[in-house]
């Protein structure tokens, strides 16, 4: 499965891409505000990567779409993006998007391009009716991305994320298909 946006290519990970995945999720700067702490070893990360590879083969009950993101210009690896399917039936469904970039690619608008692409895939290809995103309330970069992608703040849940020695709040943003269609047609 592969998608493209203006400057980016989204493709599923293969057996050969473990080092790319590990470069993101072992990076302390990337993981500063995320739910999980950075991996400390390849051994720790490998089961998570294997779960991604096996999920890529799932056709009927697919619960997640996880992509490596590359620059279309020179094929450099810039990060990880995903859509988790939270619930789905014949009438629609709810998904949650995530995005993690190597720090050298922050500040170029790539995360905004990624989130808009993931939302578009969710509504147009996966037939979801609602897409959400969550972040640590201190993660201002991530909250900005949600806003720029057209998502609306739906709430702030108090003290649900243990990070860096304290319990932090979580922001929840979302967008429904009608709003997306209205602003993108
Ligand atoms: C969250 C994260 C993905 C945001 O990345 P980012 O680079 O700050 O976000 P964007 O890609 O939207 O780009 C931001 C800046 O790029 C600049 N930019 C440069 N060229 C641009 C372009 N062509 N289009 C849009 N913005 C552009 C803008 O000035 C923008 O800043 P502004 O919103 O203050 O105006 C990144 O900080 C990250 O990977 N963090 C670690 C992982 C993480 O926390 N993920 C979220 C988990 S919930």
């Amino acid at each position: 499965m592969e998608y493209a946006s203006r400057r980016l290519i989204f493709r599923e990970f293969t057996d050969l891409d473990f080092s790319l995945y590990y470069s993101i999720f072992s990076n302390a700067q990337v993981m500063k505000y995320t739910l999980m702490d950075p991996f400390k070893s390849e051994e720790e990360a490998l089961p998570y990567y294997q779960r991604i590879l096996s999920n890529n083969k799932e056709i009927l009950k697919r619960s997640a779409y996880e992509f490596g993101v590359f620059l279309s210009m020179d094929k450099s690896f810039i990060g990880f993006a995903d859509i988790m399917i939270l619930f789905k039936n014949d009438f629609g469904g709810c998904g949650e998007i995530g995005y993690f970039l190597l720090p050298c690619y922050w500040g170029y608008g790539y995360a905004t391009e990624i989130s808009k692409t993931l939302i578009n895939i969710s509504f147009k290809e996966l037939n979801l009716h609602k897409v959400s995103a969550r972040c640590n309330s201190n993660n201002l970069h991530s909250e900005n991305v949600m806003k720029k992608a057209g998502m609306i703040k739906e709430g702030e849940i108090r003290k649900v994320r243990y990070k860096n020695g304290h319990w932090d709040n979580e922001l929840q943003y979302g967008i429904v298909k009608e709003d997306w269609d209205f602003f993108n047609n």
Side-chain angles (χ1 to χ4, degrees):
M1 191 175 285
E2 193 168 309
Y3 295 97
S5 60
R6 191 168 69 81
R7 297 174 294 174
L8 305 172
I9 294 168
F10 299 66
R11 77 153 171 81
E12 288 180 339
F13 289 103
T14 71
D15 293 351
L16 305 176
D17 296 323
F18 176 72
S19 61
L20 303 182
Y21 173 83
Y22 188 70
S23 69
I24 292 283
F25 292 102
S26 61
N27 185 308
Q29 205 180 341
V30 173
M31 304 302 278
K32 181 173 178 190
Y33 296 117
T34 56
L35 272 173
M36 285 175 66
D37 288 327
F39 291 129
K40 293 188 182 64
S41 68
E42 296 194 352
E43 290 68 36
E44 192 187 348
L46 206 52
Y48 291 86
Y49 191 68
Q50 279 161 347
R51 187 195 51 73
I52 290 177
L53 295 185
S54 74
N55 185 56
N56 286 349
K57 297 192 193 108
E58 185 64 60
I59 295 168
L60 289 180
K61 288 192 174 167
R62 187 89 190 240
S63 61
Y65 297 82
E66 288 144 311
F67 303 101
V69 184
F70 302 81
L71 296 183
S72 33
M73 182 177 60
D74 61 6
K75 308 292 180 285
S76 303
F77 174 73
I78 69 162
F80 173 96
D82 72 331
I83 305 168
M84 303 287 296
I85 307 295
L86 305 176
F87 175 79
K88 200 173 173 195
N89 66 15
D90 292 343
F91 308 101
C94 302
E96 184 177 285
I97 60 168
Y99 34 79
F100 304 76
L101 298 184
L102 291 171
C104 58
Y105 294 105
W106 294 4
Y108 295 97
Y110 292 135
T112 304
E113 186 169 330
I114 288 170
S115 56
K116 287 181 176 175
T117 305
L118 296 178
I119 293 170
N120 201 46
I121 294 169
S122 302
F123 291 143
K124 304 289 179 206
E125 305 257 336
L126 306 179
N127 296 319
L128 304 183
H129 74 279
K130 163 106 191 237
V131 176
S132 308
R134 294 182 288 154
C135 72
N136 185 305
S137 296
N138 298 313
N139 194 347
L140 301 181
H141 285 125
S142 183
E143 185 182 10
N144 253 338
V145 171
M146 296 173 197
K147 287 180 184 164
K148 288 187 286 178
M151 299 177 125
I152 289 168
K153 184 174 173 180
E154 297 185 337
E156 179 159 14
I157 316 298
R158 292 185 300 159
K159 294 188 181 285
V160 284
R161 290 181 173 230
Y162 190 75
K163 200 73 189 181
N164 309 318
H166 37 83
W167 287 97
D168 292 339
N169 295 357
E170 177 178 274
L171 291 172
Q172 299 200 341
Y173 275 68
I175 184 165
V176 292
K177 187 171 184 303
E178 300 89 281
D179 294 350
W180 181 256
D181 289 343
F182 181 80
F183 288 110
N184 292 282
N185 281 323

